[in-house]
Each structure stands twice: as structure tokens, then as C-alpha cells.
Amino acid sequence: MRPALPQWSGTLAAKAAAFITVMCCALAALLGVLVHVQVTNQTVGQARDQALQRLAQATERYEAGDTPRRGAGVDPPELPGELRDLAAAGDRGTMVAEREGRPTMWAAGPVEGGRALAVAVDYAQQARTIEGLDRAILWSSGLAIGATLLVGAFAVTRVTRRLHTTALVARRISAGDLDARVNDPRTGRRSTAGPPDEVAAVAAALDSMAASLQGKLLAEQRFTADVAHELRTPLTGLHAAAELLPPGRPTELVRDRVAALRTLTEDLLEISRLDTGRERVELDTERLGPLAERAVRAAGDGTEVRVVRDVSVETDRRRLERVLGNLVANAHKHGRGPVVLTVDGPVVTVRDHGDGFPEYLVAHGPQRFRTEGGTRGHGLGLTIAAGQAEVLGARLEFANAPEGGAVATLRLATD
């Protein structure tokens, strides 16, 4: 199993910073090694040439019978053993070693008797030059990495800030704010913020999608409102005509269908008002237990009311009764008894013992006239309940009980 990474490691800024840091360190290390090797080879080469030149001069003086100058001698005790063995074998060579605590370039060559003539050249200055170069490489690499990180962080932060803005607008749109737009300054034809880039393309696509979605929803809302308004007048006349029919079974059927059409029309008008987002609540303090009992009585008999803990809530009584009445009516219409409404503080649950809610409703909430697999849909009752709950500032949740049955939970806002 792969180890879990910290949350910050998944952000674009963290990934970009890590990538820039690794690349800068790798580049600085590569350049530093190249410069170090080049300068060291050059410095060592110059010191070696100087040491071999002095060895040649010392060899001439030794062969001429002159006394070796200071720094030269035959088989000096400080001469490194490897270099002594090389000279004894008849070869010339150089080596950097310590002499009296100071770095020294040694050069040695063979003389008669299997001995070694050696010359010592002070190497301290060259060693200090290489050390200073290494420090300069480290400091300059650190400064370069820091400067690159700052510039890179600034550039990446600008991009991530724009991405966060786009994501925030997308969340606002998904929450129902269809007027939200990114309005990225780079998306305009005469943009002064710079040429368009990929982030601007995403922002423009999101704005275009939001505008198209808003247009379609507004058209749907206007259609719903227009249809409901147009139906009211003929339904009123139809209802008056049905009341004039003589008593009988056909008359009851006509009146029942006319009543159903009037209910549907009123529901459509209520949904159109909810869609506009201009509904205003009339708050008052209500005891939740008695209010739930009134809503159940208005919805019909056959519902058990359990008050576990009664509380007073500040709410709109008419809208709350509408929500509870729709939930109870839906439980009786699409579920099976017994139907139980439970009040436990500011939480009200309506439970039936039927087949439960469809999966799409539990996952996405009620949808108008939605049907699943050819079965009967849930109409507009739950859609109105969800809309009125949103107006009240409450949260309406839909779930299925493990042992079977649908459970609708209304959580009212409390102070």
C-alpha cells in the first residue's frame, strides 16, 4: 500500500516549488562540479609544471655536483612513500601531500644508487584558491536557487490564484449562484493583462458554460411560470363547470381530475416563485411539536407523531408546515405504513416502511417529474419541500433506513 502523502503535497504550488528546487539544485551541482574540476585541473597542472621544472633544474645541479637549493634534496624524510617508490623504479612523478602542516606539491625523479631526488613546492596558495572557489560556488548556487524559487513562486502563485478564483466561481455556480462569473482579464479581445493562456481558456469556458446554463434555466423557469399562469384561467372555468354537473360517478371522476390539475398548477406556480429566489420568510417563534402535529392533521390521518424533545424555533410557520405536509404526503403516496414523524429538538424525521427512495434521489436530491426504470416518479412534492427548506435556511436530507423504508430528515437552523 502506498504511503499517504500530506495534504500540502498535492497542491500545484508545492509541486512546482519542489520541481524548481530539484532542478535548480541539480543544475547548480552540475555547474559547480564542472567549474571545480576545470579550475582544479588547471591549478594542479600549473603547480605540477612548476614542480617538474624545478626538479629538472635540481637534477642538472645534482649531476653537475652542485649543492641542491632549498626545497630540494635526495631522499628527504617527508617525501611520500608512493612517490619514493615511483622514483626508485626509474620514473618521474608529482603528488600533493602535507609537509610541516602545509599543502605541498612534490616532484621526484631517480638518481644513481636507486635513490630519489625530490623537490617541494609550496601549494598553500593554490589550495586556498580552490577552497575559495568552492565557497563561492556554494554561495552563488544558494543565491541562485533562492532567487529562482522566489521568481518561480511568484509566477506559480499568480497562476494558482487564478485557478483558485475559477474553482471558487465553479463552486458558487454549483451552489445555485448562476450570476457568478470568473471574468478573467486575459479573456477579453482587448486584454491589457497579457495574452490569453490555458487558465484564461478554462475561465472563459466556465463563464460560457455558466451563461448557457443560466439561459436554459431561465427559459425553463419562464416556461413553467407561463404554463402555470395560462392553465389557471381554463381550470377555473373547468372547475366551475364541473360543479354544475349532476351528481354521479362520472361527475366525481371529473371533479377529482380537475382538482388534481388545480393542485398541479398551484405546485408549478410555487416552484416558479421558488426558482426566482425572491421568496421572503415571515419569522415567528413556534413550538415545533404542536406545529408538526398540525401539519400531520392537515396532510391526513394515519401518521404517528413522536415528540422526543420539543423546542421553540424561529421560523416561517406556513412554509414549515408546507415542508412537513409534503414529506408526510409523499411517504403515504410512495411508501408504506406505518409512517412516523419524529421531533427531536430542531431535527424532524419522516419515516415510512416502503421500498425507500430511488438511488438518484438520495444522491442528487429530488428532481421534477423524474422517473427511474419505468416506475412512478415523485412528482413535485419533494421538490417544493426542498425549495421551501432552502428558503427557511434548513437542510433537507434523504436516505434509506438499513432495515428498509425511506427517511427524510429536516434540520432546522438554531441560534
Side-chain angles (χ1 to χ4, degrees):
M1 184 175 62
R2 296 177 60 184
L5 297 176
Q7 185 176 5
W8 60 263
S9 65
T11 63
L12 180 60
K15 292 179 179 178
F19 177 77
I20 293 174
T21 302
V22 171
M23 293 303 297
C24 286
C25 291
L27 183 60
L30 178 61
L31 293 177
V33 169
L34 290 177
V35 172
H36 172 82
V37 170
Q38 184 67 23
V39 174
T40 300
N41 289 340
Q42 184 178 1
T43 303
V44 171
Q46 292 176 351
R48 181 181 293 112
D49 293 341
Q50 182 181 4
L52 290 175
Q53 184 178 3
R54 291 191 179 181
L55 177 62
Q57 295 174 356
T59 303
E60 292 178 359
R61 293 180 62 84
Y62 178 81
E63 291 176 350
D66 296 335
T67 303
R69 293 183 178 180
R70 187 173 181 273
V74 177
D75 288 336
E78 302 92 349
L79 182 64
E82 297 88 344
L83 194 57
R84 186 189 306 274
D85 295 339
L86 181 66
D91 295 323
R92 300 173 65 188
T94 59
M95 177 181 290
V96 177
E98 293 288 332
R99 182 191 182 203
E100 298 178 357
R102 294 174 62 85
T104 302
M105 174 65 75
W106 288 93
V111 292
E112 71 275 1
R115 294 181 298 172
L117 176 62
V119 175
V121 178
D122 186 35
Y123 191 72
Q125 180 63 38
Q126 291 84 344
R128 285 193 296 270
T129 300
I130 295 175
E131 291 176 0
L133 175 65
D134 292 341
R135 286 194 297 269
I137 291 175
L138 290 176
W139 278 104
S140 60
S141 298
L143 290 176
I145 293 172
T148 305
L149 274 177
L150 290 177
V151 175
F154 174 74
V156 172
T157 301
R158 292 186 62 186
V159 174
T160 54
R161 187 184 299 117
R162 293 167 61 199
L163 288 175
H164 283 307
T165 301
T166 304
L168 177 62
V169 171
R171 285 192 290 267
R172 288 173 55 191
I173 293 173
S174 65
D177 184 6
L178 298 181
D179 292 323
R181 297 291 186 274
V182 180
N183 292 326
D184 194 294
R186 294 174 180 259
T187 58
R189 292 184 177 180
R190 299 180 178 179
S191 172
T192 58
D197 53 14
E198 288 80 1
V199 179
V202 172
L206 180 63
D207 287 347
S208 176
M209 180 199 70
S212 175
L213 179 63
Q214 185 178 36
K216 292 178 180 179
L217 289 179
L218 290 176
E220 179 185 345
Q221 292 170 9
R222 285 194 299 268
F223 175 77
T224 302
D226 292 344
V227 168
H229 281 290
E230 292 297 328
L231 285 175
R232 294 188 77 177
T233 301
L235 280 176
T236 302
L238 187 60
H239 176 74
E243 294 296 326
L244 298 176
L245 294 175
R249 180 59 181 170
T251 299
E252 293 178 1
L253 292 176
V254 170
R255 289 176 180 175
D256 179 69
R257 292 301 87 196
V258 170
L261 282 175
R262 292 189 68 180
T263 300
L264 177 60
T265 302
E266 294 301 325
D267 287 347
L268 289 173
L269 284 173
E270 186 171 358
I271 284 180
S272 67
R273 290 193 298 269
L274 291 172
D275 285 341
T276 61
R278 298 176 182 176
E279 292 286 273
R280 296 293 179 267
V281 295
E282 297 178 2
L283 296 178
D284 198 4
T285 302
E286 301 282 345
R287 296 293 296 181
L288 193 53
L291 188 149
E293 292 175 352
R294 289 196 303 269
V296 167
R297 286 196 299 269
D301 297 331
T303 302
E304 179 185 355
V305 178
R306 299 175 182 174
V307 180
V308 178
R309 180 168 59 94
D310 196 8
V311 294
S312 295
V313 293
E314 190 174 1
T315 185
D316 188 320
R317 179 180 59 82
R318 180 184 65 83
R319 296 183 188 278
L320 183 54
E321 288 182 352
R322 174 70 160 157
V323 173
L324 297 180
N326 280 16
L327 294 178
V328 170
N330 182 81
H332 282 288
K333 185 176 182 180
H334 299 284
R336 289 192 298 270
V339 177
V340 181
L341 185 149
T342 305
V343 177
D344 188 0
V347 180
V348 182
T349 58
V350 177
R351 161 86 187 277
D352 65 54
H353 293 76
D355 297 329
F357 291 121
E359 292 183 2
Y360 76 85
L361 194 149
V362 175
H364 305 290
Q367 301 175 28
R368 304 171 191 180
F369 303 111
R370 170 75 180 267
T371 59
E372 188 86 357
T375 59
R376 190 175 182 182
H378 280 69
L380 299 176
L382 294 183
T383 303
I384 293 174
Q388 293 290 9
E390 184 178 354
V391 174
L392 291 173
R395 189 167 74 251
L396 183 57
E397 303 170 351
F398 301 94
N400 291 321
E403 59 273 18
V407 181
T409 303
L410 179 68
R411 302 181 188 276
L412 296 169
T414 57
D415 297 334

